[in-house]
Amino acid sequence: MIIEKPLWVQHKQENGKLATIYSVDIHPDGTRIATGAGDSVARIWSMKPIIDKEAEKENNMFPKQLAVCQGGHTRAITCVRWSSNGVFLACGSDDTNVTIWMRQQTQQATPVIESNGETTTTSSENDKSNTNEKKTDDNTNGEKSDNSNKSKSAKKAVVKEEWTRLLTCMGHSSDVQDLAWAPDDSKLASCSVDNTILVWAINNTTIGRFVLHQPLAKLTGHEGWVKGLAWDPVGKYLASVGSDNVMNIWRTTDWKCEGKVTKPFNSGKRSSGNVVRRISWSPDGRNICGTLAFKNSAHCAVIIDRNTWTDGCELVGHNVPVIASRFNSRILLKKNKKKKKKLKVARKSLQKNAVTCCAIGDFEGTISVWMTSAEKPIVVLKKALNSAITDLAWSIKDGKTLVA
């Protein structure tokens, strides 16, 4: 296990102070991450300099910050979420709005001031290909120069990106707390401290409007601030949790409440209003990981069973409230002690041996990673950060990277 702390991933404000980062998400292809913070902008960062020390040193070749999504919000961005196809980036903010961004595929060559003061130029994909073709033709004439070496390196370079705001969803009357995409990216759910959940239709018709005022559905089953959302990977349910210490399970066919979970969250008082409650659904759809739960008087996260909507087990060990959770998108198999086993037998026991992995983070910066087949965490990172773990994200492509 390798732990990296890229200190350059930060939201620096005009007054020189660093804004608090509230949310993070990894792009489905694993090449970039998005962060949302108190400076009212979302920033997109390259993963290459984070995982590759040599690339981190070459800022001209591998720029650390790829794009800044600004102008869409006036207050802190509390949640950023990539669509599963990687085309859209959704941002939720304290200004009550939700914005959706998309990368511009064609860019004009523009000068960019890097953090070290040097100026570089970004170009469109077509311009790059034409330039490379021209250099290749020159090299075939037998002329070798430093430019040819640079052209070879440029093919591997990370190019700066431009992201444009396509849609602004206006419907909440107060701060947006969390977002969740439907598995097929056709819908986006948002929740707010106005005690409601809004479900937005995302398609060619709504994207073309630029501003959307009418949601597809409005869910009003909570008696307190709605703090967390998670979409069933099958697409049948949407889970929500609020400061009323209730987890509601909504049917996506008619948007009626299928079930309520209260027992593991009932501590005798409502949760603090300024604490996030990131919940997560397992990739096989069997379980939901709920946060700000209790076992007796001990803080924990709780695994909710899909079939009964009751708590199956508790992830105990944190001394302070657990406020964020995220399941790894990969379904894993238990290790079989028998080295040799027939394929047919293995297929029969596939469902029995399948396990999932979940990371949880608490109010004091501690992270623990659990397997659904184990009674104890496989990894505990005490005080991984100096502040609360307000969000977690796994790499989808290989499931080997966790970002907090």
Side-chain angles (χ1 to χ4, degrees):
M1 182 176 66
I2 301 175
I3 301 174
E4 298 286 352
K5 281 191 175 183
L7 300 179
W8 42 267
V9 178
Q10 56 184 231
H11 286 241
K12 195 171 186 179
Q13 303 178 86
E14 294 181 357
N15 58 10
K17 295 182 179 180
L18 297 182
T20 302
I21 296 177
Y22 295 110
S23 183
V24 63
D25 203 21
I26 302 179
H27 191 275
D29 68 7
T31 61
R32 52 180 75 78
I33 64 173
T35 54
D39 58 353
S40 75
V41 301
R43 300 177 187 269
I44 300 174
W45 311 85
S46 172
M47 281 289 286
K48 184 71 174 177
I50 297 177
I51 62 178
D52 188 335
K53 286 297 182 182
E54 293 301 320
E56 187 178 20
K57 299 175 184 177
E58 298 292 337
N59 198 45
N60 288 336
M61 184 68 69
F62 302 102
K64 299 177 177 66
Q65 183 173 277
L66 298 178
V68 178
C69 302
Q70 59 185 356
H73 294 284
T74 58
R75 295 181 63 187
I77 292 180
T78 54
C79 185
V80 290
R81 290 292 181 264
W82 297 103
S83 58
S84 60
N85 60 13
V87 174
F88 302 117
L89 174 65
C91 302
S93 170
D94 281 348
D95 65 6
T96 76
N97 296 332
V98 176
T99 57
I100 297 177
W101 304 72
M102 186 175 76
R103 182 184 178 185
Q104 292 289 91
Q105 296 300 326
T106 57
Q107 300 171 223
Q108 298 296 325
T110 54
V112 177
I113 306 298
E114 301 290 354
S115 57
N116 58 6
E118 296 182 4
T119 303
T120 59
T121 302
T122 63
S123 59
S124 66
E125 297 295 331
N126 293 333
D127 293 341
K128 287 193 298 178
S129 61
N130 293 336
T131 304
N132 290 336
E133 288 176 2
K134 183 178 180 181
K135 290 181 178 179
T136 302
D137 293 339
D138 293 340
N139 291 339
T140 56
N141 294 331
E143 298 178 3
K144 295 183 179 180
S145 64
D146 293 339
N147 290 335
S148 64
N149 295 330
K150 291 180 180 179
S151 66
K152 293 178 181 179
S153 300
K155 294 179 182 179
K156 299 180 180 180
V158 177
V159 179
K160 290 258 186 180
E161 302 171 354
E162 181 180 345
W163 288 73
T164 302
R165 177 163 48 101
L166 295 181
L167 182 66
T168 299
C169 302
M170 298 180 176
H172 288 291
S173 61
S174 195
D175 307 5
V176 175
Q177 295 292 287
D178 204 6
L179 301 170
W181 286 94
D184 62 357
D185 296 332
S186 64
K187 304 176 190 69
L188 176 68
S190 60
C191 65
S192 168
V193 300
D194 63 6
N195 299 7
T196 69
I197 302 159
L198 299 182
V199 181
W200 308 92
I202 308 300
N203 50 49
N204 292 335
T205 302
T206 55
I207 287 291
R209 296 180 184 178
F210 191 70
V211 177
L212 187 61
H213 293 279
Q214 186 64 41
L216 180 67
K218 182 176 182 179
L219 313 181
T220 57
H222 284 280
E223 296 180 359
W225 297 358
V226 190
K227 308 290 289 183
L229 292 171
W231 212 295
D232 169 20
V234 181
K236 188 177 180 180
Y237 299 112
L238 174 68
S240 64
V241 66
S243 61
D244 55 359
N245 294 326
V246 175
M247 177 182 287
N248 285 333
I249 311 298
W250 308 88
R251 293 191 299 266
T252 59
T253 52
D254 56 7
W255 302 113
K256 301 297 182 181
C257 189
E258 171 86 4
K260 290 180 177 286
V261 184
T262 58
K263 184 179 177 181
F265 309 113
N266 189 6
S267 63
K269 61 178 181 179
R270 293 194 174 189
S271 61
S272 176
N274 61 354
V275 177
V276 298
R277 297 186 73 160
R278 311 282 189 194
I279 60 176
S280 179
W281 213 303
S282 64
D284 57 5
R286 293 182 183 181
N287 307 112
I288 312 170
C289 183
T291 52
L292 271 177
F294 295 86
K295 183 177 182 180
N296 298 326
S297 59
H299 294 286
C300 68
V302 62
I303 302 298
I304 307 297
D305 181 75
R306 179 194 185 98
N307 296 322
T308 61
W309 306 125
T310 57
D311 53 315
C313 65
E314 297 86 8
L315 310 182
V316 182
H318 290 258
N319 297 321
V320 294
V322 176
I323 57 177
S325 69
R326 197 72 173 263
F327 269 101
N328 191 307
S329 62
R330 314 289 286 188
I331 298 177
L332 310 173
L333 290 176
K334 295 179 185 177
K335 287 185 177 180
N336 192 351
K337 296 180 180 180
K338 296 181 180 180
K339 295 183 179 180
K340 296 182 180 180
K341 194 170 185 178
K342 292 182 179 180
L343 183 60
K344 291 183 179 180
V345 177
R347 284 178 177 174
K348 289 181 180 180
S349 61
L350 179 62
Q351 185 175 1
K352 183 179 179 180
N353 292 326
V355 296
T356 53
C357 177
C358 185
I360 60 177
D362 68 25
F363 198 70
E364 290 186 349
T366 295
I367 300 171
S368 61
V369 181
W370 301 71
M371 303 294 288
T372 53
S373 60
E375 296 181 356
K376 296 180 180 180
I378 57 174
V379 174
V380 176
L381 301 175
K382 291 186 177 181
K383 302 296 179 65
L385 294 178
N386 296 326
S387 58
I389 305 295
T390 55
D391 207 358
L392 295 162
W394 289 94
S395 58
I396 296 177
K397 194 171 184 179
D398 59 7
K400 295 181 180 180
T401 303
L402 175 66
V403 176

